[in-house]
Amino acid sequence: MSRFESKLLEAIDAEVSETKRSVLQLTWAAYRVRVGDPAKARDIAANIRARYSTNYSAQVFAYINFVEGLCEFFESGIESAIPKLMRSNALSNGCPADDDLPMLVKTWLAALYRILGNWKFMADFLILAACCCDRASDEASCRLCLVTADAFQEIESYSDAARWYSAAHRYALSAGDDAALSAILYNRAAIRIFNSRLGEIRGDQVDTTEDRIALEAASARNYTQYINDMSMRWGFDLMAGQIHLLKHDYEQALALLDSERFCNFEHQWPAVDLVRRADVFRCGAILGRIGVDDLGSYADRVWLRSGVISGSGDKAVTAYSLSMGLKSSDDNHSLRFLKIAQKALEIFDDERRRESVELDRFIRSTDAQAKFTSPISSGSF
């Protein structure tokens, strides 16, 4: 059990105020979601919701919606999570002045809008979160630093990303928050791998042996196994499979990317699943596991689902894998997908420039960099 969770449970046992105890229980529920136990979190939230059915408290219901929003994110995906988190954000205006939920929920909304590629909303929520920093806990500060670090990592500003990841790491250590430490390791590795895949489309030399890609991915997996974090186990098969793909080790890549772990995965993360399906096609085609006469129709069936992709980066990676799978058997078909990938990459590069502008707006409009990336002392949970 993490120090963060242990302190929460001790505080719950010691608390005499019903409202404060409920808030602490919901804080614990949110942590259980982050380590892959949404069933426990939903049970806690449902019990507290029932207890307050005739005793409305804006603070308690803000926390309930926050917990339910996190459950939706990890169980059903971003689109299901946003309405709950937006409701939590609105209700959090009724929280006491010393409550950091208003900041925490804004950082989570910023994270979700980053993943969706809505850079303006990402920056807007980061700015609003930074304005709440006078009541920031280590957890909320860590989350703000993590979202900022991920955005810098995406635009390949790796030195800036390292500064913000380091700050997030310090806050997580101060709080004893194992789940946050796991998320830092996972996000950093996953984004680096994604950037390498885009580099492959550009024709860059992708070195997966000498640089930190494989090491970061392995470190993330090892740490989550150590703390028994079950929240994103599928993500490590994806990362490992993609690293093998970049190494042209298609046997290992296929074994990881086409495992039973991904049954019904398309309903939760449709865009990620489509990239995976294109990668499975690429591996199977190159290994000769798909009949030559079936390659074109197989690739087209995968691409028919491309409407689920909102991000041009995912579209570029998907089309490129289809192109590589067809390369040895159907040059014209392969070229068509290659052109789609290159066009999507051009759009993606424009999007990243917009992300950079919005990230700069956040940094310039607040003194968050000075407040959050300087050395910190131990804080609250």
Side-chain angles (χ1 to χ4, degrees):
M1 180 184 295
S2 73
R3 181 161 49 87
F4 181 87
E5 186 172 17
S6 177
K7 287 168 63 179
L8 271 174
L9 293 174
E10 290 174 3
I12 290 168
D13 287 342
E15 185 55 63
V16 296
S17 163
E18 176 63 24
T19 299
K20 290 181 180 178
R21 187 187 307 114
S22 296
V23 166
L24 287 168
Q25 288 173 328
L26 290 162
T27 302
W28 177 46
Y31 183 80
R32 294 311 306 167
V33 181
R34 292 194 286 122
V35 294
D37 188 10
K40 179 64 175 179
R42 285 195 183 277
D43 184 56
I44 294 169
N47 286 336
I48 294 176
R49 183 183 284 277
R51 291 209 308 266
Y52 281 81
S53 61
T54 58
N55 180 25
Y56 181 77
S57 164
Q59 182 186 24
V60 170
F61 278 91
Y63 272 88
I64 289 172
N65 278 273
F66 177 63
V67 170
E68 291 172 346
L70 294 186
C71 288
E72 290 295 333
F73 173 64
F74 284 101
E75 291 181 320
S76 304
I78 296 172
E79 299 294 349
S80 298
I82 286 179
K84 283 286 186 181
L85 292 178
M86 289 295 284
R87 180 165 177 76
S88 174
N89 184 52
L91 290 169
S92 71
N93 290 323
C95 288
D98 61 348
D99 194 328
D100 73 339
L101 182 64
M103 178 180 176
L104 188 59
V105 70
K106 287 174 177 62
T107 61
W108 273 96
L109 283 165
L112 267 57
Y113 282 115
R114 178 194 67 78
I115 296 170
L116 288 174
N118 189 327
W119 318 123
K120 181 182 183 303
F121 279 18
M122 175 196 75
D124 286 346
F125 278 110
L126 283 174
I127 291 167
L128 291 169
C131 291
C132 302
C133 65
D134 289 342
R135 53 191 173 186
S137 66
D138 287 335
E139 180 190 2
S141 298
C142 173
R143 189 61 52 176
L144 181 143
C145 291
L146 177 56
V147 180
T148 307
D150 288 344
F152 275 120
Q153 187 86 340
E154 281 187 325
I155 63 174
E156 300 185 51
S157 183
Y158 293 124
S159 59
D160 288 316
R163 182 182 305 113
W164 285 89
Y165 279 128
S166 178
H169 187 264
R170 290 198 304 270
Y171 283 113
L173 283 178
S174 178
D177 190 338
D178 287 347
L181 290 168
S182 176
I184 292 165
L185 291 167
Y186 178 86
N187 290 12
R188 190 173 192 171
I191 295 169
R192 173 80 75 156
I193 292 169
F194 185 69
N195 286 346
S196 295
R197 300 209 60 184
L198 296 169
E200 183 186 36
I201 302 171
R202 294 188 180 96
D204 298 343
Q205 183 65 37
V206 180
D207 189 343
T208 58
T209 56
E210 297 301 326
D211 68 16
R212 65 181 64 191
I213 297 176
L215 179 60
E216 286 183 348
S219 297
R221 179 189 285 271
N222 290 341
Y223 190 78
T224 55
Q225 290 176 340
Y226 171 71
I227 68 169
N228 198 30
D229 180 350
M230 302 296 292
S231 62
M232 297 286 280
R233 286 292 172 90
W234 55 265
F236 294 103
D237 281 355
L238 280 179
M239 284 201 294
Q242 290 177 33
I243 290 172
H244 283 296
L245 192 68
L246 290 167
K247 291 179 177 180
H248 302 159
D249 183 356
Y250 299 112
E251 287 278 4
Q252 289 295 323
L254 186 61
L256 289 162
L257 296 171
D258 199 25
S259 72
E260 293 183 358
R261 195 186 291 275
F262 298 105
C263 291
N264 300 317
F265 185 65
E266 64 181 299
H267 301 297
Q268 182 178 5
W269 298 95
V272 178
D273 187 61
L274 186 58
V275 173
R276 181 192 68 83
R277 288 172 184 264
D279 290 342
V280 167
F281 167 78
R282 177 178 175 180
C283 294
I286 291 172
L287 292 170
R289 307 282 176 82
I290 305 170
V292 174
D293 293 339
D294 298 325
L295 288 172
S297 59
Y298 188 137
D300 288 339
R301 285 197 303 274
V302 173
W303 188 250
L304 277 174
R305 298 180 60 248
S306 62
V308 303
I309 300 178
S310 59
S312 53
D314 287 333
K315 184 170 289 188
V317 172
T318 298
Y320 186 76
S321 268
L322 295 176
S323 174
M324 292 299 98
L326 291 164
K327 190 173 182 180
S328 63
S329 62
D330 190 339
D331 282 342
N332 289 333
H333 212 162
S334 174
L335 183 60
R336 181 171 74 86
F337 281 116
L338 180 60
K339 288 179 177 178
I340 292 172
Q342 291 170 337
K343 180 62 177 177
L345 187 58
E346 290 176 10
I347 297 171
F348 173 85
D349 288 338
D350 287 338
E351 290 175 354
R352 282 295 180 262
R353 282 188 283 272
R354 290 196 293 274
E355 181 179 13
S356 181
V357 168
E358 292 295 334
L359 190 55
D360 185 62
R361 177 168 69 89
F362 159 61
I363 297 297
R364 288 179 179 273
S365 64
T366 68
D367 55 356
Q369 185 158 308
K371 286 183 178 179
F372 290 100
T373 64
S374 58
I376 62 172
S377 59
S378 179
S380 66
F381 55 77

